[in-house]
Structures are given as structure tokens and as C-alpha cells.
Amino acid sequence: MEKIQKLRFTVQAICLVLTVTSFFINFKIAMIAIAVLTVFAGVFYCGWICPYGFMQDLFGKFGSLLGIKKIKMPSSLQRILVFSRYVLLALVLLIGSNFVFGLMAFDPHANFLNMLVGSVAGFAAISVIAFFLIVSLLFERPFCNYLCSEGARYGLRGILRIFTIKRDQSLCVNCKKCDKACPMNIKVSKATNLRSPQCINCFQCISVCPFKGALSFGPMSTDEKEKRKYIAIALSALVLFGSFAAYNFFGGKKGVSEEVTTPAAGESNSVQGGGDAFSDAHGIADGTYIGEGVGFKGTTVAQVTVKNQMITSIEVTQTRDDKPWFDRANSAIPDSIIQAQSTDIDLVSGATYSSIGIRDAVKNALENARQ
């Protein structure tokens, strides 16, 4: 199984490069495939794809090379802290307040991704990124374990997976090497079917197991006890997701409607001025142009007004992104483009995909204007 770890390291490195090239942003089918894989086989994104998870792994290996012994969270404390990232996810999904978005501005996972695609992070954001990487020298995946709301989201999606890591009790000698190897502090030695939402499918537990077949990856065992447990979890998940859907439908966080209200007089994203050779609108005739981009949940449509070869107004007329995230991006991106007279602007931390959707819609509108 050492080959699996080498393969995982290679895939992680490739995905880091693909992230830099915006592959996962431009090719939504890749993210859809990852989401489908999560539902059927658990969380592979965190263990095989996530760039910040990869960086924590690298720093962890570097710490081992330096002879730094890894610290394991005491079981009594782990049982409490394991819920922290799910509490954070609930706050993000249900509250969506400025306070929560303020916290997300320091999310090292989001900020690291932003930096990889060209966004400039502030000193505080870089400090948080560096802090968790340094802690990774002593403690495996500290951010992933307790504070990553995105990892929590993936974990919950895969809780009803069909394929998972299994333990054959007849072959297991209870050496607990799997427990020590797990970077997510899961008690693998106590599971028959490993259904923990913390599991990132890194397969390190299988790699260190001294008895072939004691741990394996495949379809879940289906004895009566496991069936009852699966049904109980399925019903709980149904209630949880049903409650969240009802919250969204009856007044919670809804997606922005197809038509976004035009800003009131004096509040529109507009500017007056003459032609500028450095403006992205240079050489474009006066008029209003429509363009499309891809946000987090689908197509974003923007209406761009050009006057005197200057971008004077940007209005988003359609988006499918969730309102808090979209509003966060829409409050900054149009103004930034107008001020810079360019789409080469910084993205909004915590609303990266919505920012990209608006920016690309403006780009597309200007491209359409030149045709």
C-alpha cells in the first residue's frame, strides 16, 4: 500500500498545479464528478485534491524529517473538538451574518485557493495560512480536523456512502497502528465500516496495517446490525437536510432571483469620464452589452455600459449563487472593475466563485462588444 501513498502524493501535486491554472473553476464537470464520487465513496477531495490539505501534509512530512514527534489530541478532548467544524459550517449556512463572513475572510483554505488563482491576500490572511502550516509540523492537518467548514460539508455529503474502508474483525489483532496513522484522529480500530465524516480516504490506515486484508476499501458490510445503523443515519440525514431545505425555502438564505434590482439613483456602479487607452473598453462604441460568466452555482449575466470608451456601469441581471455570497462579491467587484477600468482585479475573499462569475461576465460582455 506504500504505492497508494506515492500515488496520492502525485495526484495532490498535480491538483495543486491544476488549481493554479483555474482548472476546477473553468471545468465545473470536474467538481461535479468529485461531488458524485463523495456521495458514493466518501471524501476524496480533502485527502487527494485539496491544495491546502496537501500543504499541511507536506509540512507534516517535513516535521517528521526534522525528527519532530507528532502530537495526538487526547481522546477526551477529541470527542468534543471533533464537532467544531460542523458548528462552524452550521453558522455559515444558517446565519450568514457579517460576523461569520468576517471570520471566513481569515479562512486559510479559501485564502490559499485565492492566492493560487492570482488574488492578493492581506497580511492577516497570510499569517493565518502560515500559522496552520507551522502547527502542521507538530500536529497532522490541524485546520482540516477542527476548523474547515468545506471539509465538514464534504464529510456530511459522504456519510451515506456505499464504498468505504472496512475492518475484518477476524484478521484484526487490535494493534491500533491504524489509529496512530490516521491524520484525522479517527478510531479506525473500533469500526467495522468506517463511516465517519472526518475520513478523507487517505488510506494511511491501510498502508500501516501489518495484516493484509484486515483493512480494505470496498462495498460496506451488510449484516443486520450495520443495516440498522445505516437506516438510522439515513433517516437522520434526511431530517437534517429536509430541515435545511425548509429553512432556505421559507425565508432563509435564498439564491438571487433571475432579475437583480437595478441600483437606485446615486447608488449604481457607474463612472463618468473620457476614453482611456488603458481601459478594457478602449475602442468599443458607446452602448450596453450583455455577457455571461460562471459563478458558484451556474451562469451569471452582467449588463455593461460603455460611454466614451470607458466602462461606466455594471449591473448583474442574473445569477444562481446564494445571496450572501453573491452580495459580498457584487458589492465590490463591479466597483473595482470600474475604478480600474479593467477586469484584472482582486477577487473577494470568501466569495471567490461569485467574484469570478461577475468578472468573467464583464469580460464576455466586452468581448461581445468587439465582435
Side-chain angles (χ1 to χ4, degrees):
M1 288 300 293
E2 186 62 31
K3 292 181 179 179
I4 289 292
Q5 294 307 316
K6 291 180 179 178
L7 174 63
R8 187 170 75 94
F9 181 87
T10 302
V11 171
Q12 286 177 303
I14 292 172
C15 288
L16 178 66
V17 175
L18 290 176
T19 302
V20 173
T21 62
S22 298
F23 173 82
F24 295 107
I25 294 173
N26 295 327
F27 295 91
K28 288 291 185 181
I29 188 66
M31 295 306 295
I32 294 173
I34 292 169
V36 172
L37 180 64
T38 300
V39 172
F40 287 97
V43 183
F44 278 90
Y45 173 80
C46 300
W48 290 72
I49 297 171
C50 176
Y52 194 62
F54 178 44
M55 293 304 297
Q56 290 175 86
D57 285 344
L58 284 180
F59 272 73
K61 291 181 184 298
F62 183 60
S64 297
L65 290 175
L66 293 177
I68 300 174
K69 187 176 180 180
K70 292 293 184 292
I71 299 172
K72 279 286 185 181
M73 188 67 67
S75 298
S76 57
L77 192 56
Q78 174 68 17
R79 282 194 290 269
I80 298 172
L81 293 179
V82 72
F83 294 105
S84 57
R85 68 177 191 167
Y86 303 99
V87 172
L88 182 60
L89 175 63
L91 289 174
V92 171
L93 293 177
L94 299 177
I95 299 177
S97 65
N98 290 332
F99 171 72
V100 174
F101 281 118
L103 291 179
M104 289 179 65
F106 297 98
D107 181 343
H109 167 257
N111 284 316
F112 187 67
L113 290 181
N114 289 344
M115 290 172 63
L116 289 179
V117 297
S119 181
V120 178
F123 175 77
I126 293 175
S127 297
V128 175
I129 291 172
F131 171 77
F132 282 104
L133 293 180
I134 292 172
V135 174
S136 297
L137 296 170
L138 305 166
F139 190 96
E140 290 185 297
R141 289 196 173 224
F143 179 73
C144 302
N145 265 282
Y146 307 115
L147 293 173
C148 184
S149 60
E150 190 66 18
R153 194 193 304 261
Y154 274 106
L156 292 175
R157 286 173 183 166
I159 202 167
L160 296 177
R161 57 190 177 273
I162 299 172
F163 296 88
T164 191
I165 295 171
K166 303 181 295 181
R167 183 176 67 92
D168 188 332
Q169 298 182 57
S170 65
L171 296 175
C172 178
V173 296
N174 204 30
C175 65
K176 300 188 185 300
K177 287 185 177 181
C178 51
D179 296 348
K180 295 176 182 177
C182 180
M184 299 301 288
N185 295 297
I186 301 170
K187 296 297 182 184
V188 182
S189 63
K190 294 183 178 180
T192 301
N193 291 315
L194 190 57
R195 197 181 284 110
S196 170
Q198 292 288 104
C199 180
I200 58 175
N201 283 335
C202 65
F203 301 139
Q204 290 194 46
C205 55
I206 300 178
S207 296
V208 300
C209 183
F211 292 93
K212 186 176 181 180
L215 287 175
S216 61
F217 183 83
M220 285 193 174
S221 303
T222 55
D223 56 50
E224 284 302 316
K225 182 179 179 181
E226 286 298 317
K227 283 182 180 179
R228 289 195 296 270
K229 186 185 295 185
Y230 188 86
I231 291 172
I233 293 174
L235 290 175
S236 299
L238 184 62
V239 171
L240 176 64
F241 293 127
S243 300
F244 180 65
Y247 173 82
N248 274 341
F249 185 79
F250 292 108
K253 188 180 67 176
K254 298 180 181 178
V256 181
S257 62
E258 291 190 358
E259 290 298 323
V260 178
T261 305
T262 302
E267 296 180 353
S268 63
N269 299 310
S270 62
V271 69
Q272 301 295 327
D276 187 339
F278 296 100
S279 170
D280 282 3
H282 182 69
I284 295 178
D286 291 358
T288 299
Y289 305 95
I290 305 297
E292 295 184 357
V294 179
F296 185 70
K297 288 190 173 181
T299 302
T300 296
V301 179
Q303 180 175 287
V304 181
T305 301
V306 174
K307 186 175 182 180
N308 297 329
Q309 302 183 66
M310 297 281 285
I311 302 171
T312 60
S313 177
I314 297 171
E315 294 178 17
V316 178
T317 58
Q318 179 180 324
T319 183
R320 296 180 62 188
D321 290 359
D322 292 325
K323 193 174 189 307
W325 276 267
F326 169 76
D327 286 349
R328 185 175 173 83
N330 195 43
S331 66
I333 296 299
D335 286 335
S336 296
I337 293 174
I338 291 170
Q339 184 176 0
Q341 286 298 300
S342 170
T343 54
D344 185 15
I345 46 97
D346 291 337
L347 305 177
V348 177
S349 178
T352 305
Y353 293 106
S354 292
S355 299
I356 290 170
I358 298 171
R359 181 199 65 187
D360 288 354
V362 174
K363 278 185 179 180
N364 181 243
L366 296 176
E367 290 170 358
N368 292 338
R370 295 183 186 280
Q371 294 178 357

